[in-house]
Amino acid sequence: MAQYYTTMNLKSRFAPSPTGYLHLGNARTALFAWLAARGAGGTFTLRLEDTDQQRSPEIYERALLEDLRWFGIDWDEGPDRGGDHGPYRQMERLRLYDAYYAQLQAAGQAYPCYCSADDLAAERAVLRSAGKAPRYGGRCRHLDAAARAEREAAGLLPTLRFRVPDQGTLTVPDLVWGERHYALADLGDFVIRRSDGSPAFFFANAVDDALMEVNLVLRGEDHLTNTPRQVLILQALGLPVPAYGHLPLLLGADGQPLSKRYGAASLRDLRKDGYLAAALRNYLARLGHHYSATGFLDSRALAQGFALNQISRAPSHFDMAQLQHWQHEAVQSLDEAAVWNWLAPLLRGKVPMGLEMPFVAAVRANILLPGDALDWAERCFGVPALADDAVEAIIGVSPEFWSVAQATLQASGGEYRSWTKALQQASGHRGKALFMPLRAALTGLTHGPELAALLPLIGEERALARLHAAAQRPSTPIETTP
């Protein structure tokens, strides 16, 4: 029944509704479909399902294309680049559907329905009260031409419903869940064209996949109930049926599905916070999919390692700690120039010219986001705040230690190894007793990058001023954090 793809002709797609910013659940769906296509050397199509015009302002379409590009996803066919199967906005395809509506009506497989929203709500209420699943009872199925004309003369605008067979079972293979079986009697006749003439999701989505020669559809498991209806439509029209794979939902920390309607972080939010696209790709590619490789992978390796039989059926939970792990890996994967380009919008003017690369080399292992680097820029080149544990590390040291520290720093010309060796010999302090107070005084923290890398950035003059301030236990210019 399904037109299964091969590695020679695989064509997948991502078909979002541009009704908000791209949230992580949809971003993962797009990524999986893209990885499947790129891993097999196939074709990837982007299609916009924009029939909900009230909720699809142009700003969301622009944002969607921009966010996907930033994410590292490209497409071979789409609304901005065209292709052999366009147009790629659903609202531009409305005339294409008319012939298929007519074909279904001529074959007796679709009929106009004049039931009002109130009629349908009442019917569903009766079924629920009887403990039955709500489905359309088919009251308009057998209206004759005179009855239809009477209703239209009264100003009623009909929907168009697909006539589902009254009996039988539909079997639909699923690449994730295996074969699924649907009793046709439970489906009920469903709307394929709304009363305003716009296509229902079931219809346009299925027809577009067939006309665009999509043969692999990956989407969320919330679409599982849509699939039998779409298979019925395609079979009735004699159009090819793609292979379907339904991805388990991506859940938030509260256990609820991530959704752009309910406050889930969007791709745009995380980008604004400074997360790298490579971090998100590595994390989302592993949410519900198993890779044999455990380390950081570039896009090509992610695609080569992607396999549909490695998709889990269990829902995945988005974990910020895991994203931060992959963010750290992504930062470390960049060369120093790339790290600076990532940080520059926030740090330009904060790091002296000529010290950009030494600064990156010193702090990169200690930053996840640009804000972390901004803090280290302030600690190197500005007036650092003193954390509480740094205060304790300084207070326990005698004033004589700080005097010797200043004198040996000047004598060493600011060279870290010579300074700390001379200070150790002159003060008798060694190990943690030597380095912890120095770190606290020079950076305001008791942890962080190697002091040997930070001291040239701080410079001898600033370092002397901070050592002098530490001798005052402590006083300005070092301030205690609230």
Side-chain angles (χ1 to χ4, degrees), residues 335-357:
D335 61 36
E336 290 175 3
V339 174
W340 175 252
N341 288 337
W342 168 55
L343 299 175
L346 190 61
L347 295 192
R348 196 171 282 116
K350 306 290 185 182
V351 176
M353 291 183 63
L355 292 180
E356 295 92 345
M357 294 305 104

Side-chain angles (χ1 to χ4, degrees), residues 206-411:
V207 169
D208 286 346
D209 283 338
L211 297 184
M212 293 182 180
E213 300 181 0
V214 171
N215 50 30
L216 173 63
V217 173
L218 295 180
R219 58 188 181 182
E221 69 172 300
D222 51 328
H223 286 287
L224 274 169
T225 56
N226 297 332
T227 302
R229 295 171 171 85
Q230 294 182 299
V231 171
L232 289 173
I233 290 170
L234 294 175
Q235 289 178 337
L237 291 172
L239 294 174
V241 178
Y244 290 99
H246 292 85
L247 309 177
L249 296 182
L250 184 56
L251 307 180
D254 59 358
Q256 297 301 310
L258 291 179
S259 165
K260 57 190 171 188
R261 291 191 182 186
Y262 299 106
S266 69
L267 211 62
R268 180 156 293 222
D269 292 331
L270 294 170
R271 177 185 180 185
K272 184 178 179 181
D273 289 342
Y275 284 92
L276 293 167
L280 282 159
R281 287 196 301 271
N282 268 267
Y283 182 39
L284 292 181
R286 290 171 167 87
L287 276 179
H289 177 272
H290 174 71
Y291 278 88
S292 57
T294 58
F296 181 84
L297 300 175
D298 62 20
S299 291
R300 182 177 180 181
L302 285 172
Q304 290 175 338
F306 185 83
L308 292 168
N309 61 9
Q310 294 300 311
I311 296 175
S312 169
R313 296 181 182 181
S316 298
H317 289 77
F318 179 78
D319 183 346
M320 185 58 73
Q322 281 297 307
L323 175 57
Q324 290 174 347
H325 163 77
W326 290 111
Q327 174 73 359
H328 180 267
E329 294 296 307
V331 172
Q332 303 316 308
S333 74
L334 299 176
D335 61 36
E336 290 175 3
V339 174
W340 175 252
N341 288 337
W342 168 55
L343 299 175
L346 190 61
L347 295 192
R348 196 171 282 116
K350 306 290 185 182
V351 176
M353 291 183 63
L355 292 180
E356 295 92 345
M357 294 305 104
F359 174 77
V360 168
V363 306
R364 64 181 298 165
N366 294 82
I367 61 174
L368 284 178
L369 300 172
D372 301 326
L374 180 62
D375 181 63
W376 280 110
E378 180 67 14
R379 295 185 182 281
C380 289
F381 309 112
V383 181
L386 192 65
D388 290 343
D389 56 351
V391 173
E392 295 178 6
I394 291 170
I395 287 177
V397 178
S398 68
E400 291 76 14
F401 174 84
W402 300 116
S403 297
V404 174
Q406 293 173 69
T408 51
L409 177 61
Q410 289 177 301

Side-chain angles (χ1 to χ4, degrees), residues 426-446:
S427 67
H429 290 241
R430 64 185 65 247
K432 183 177 179 180
L434 175 70
F435 295 106
M436 185 66 74
L438 292 181
R439 178 179 291 281
L442 294 177
T443 70
L445 297 174
T446 57

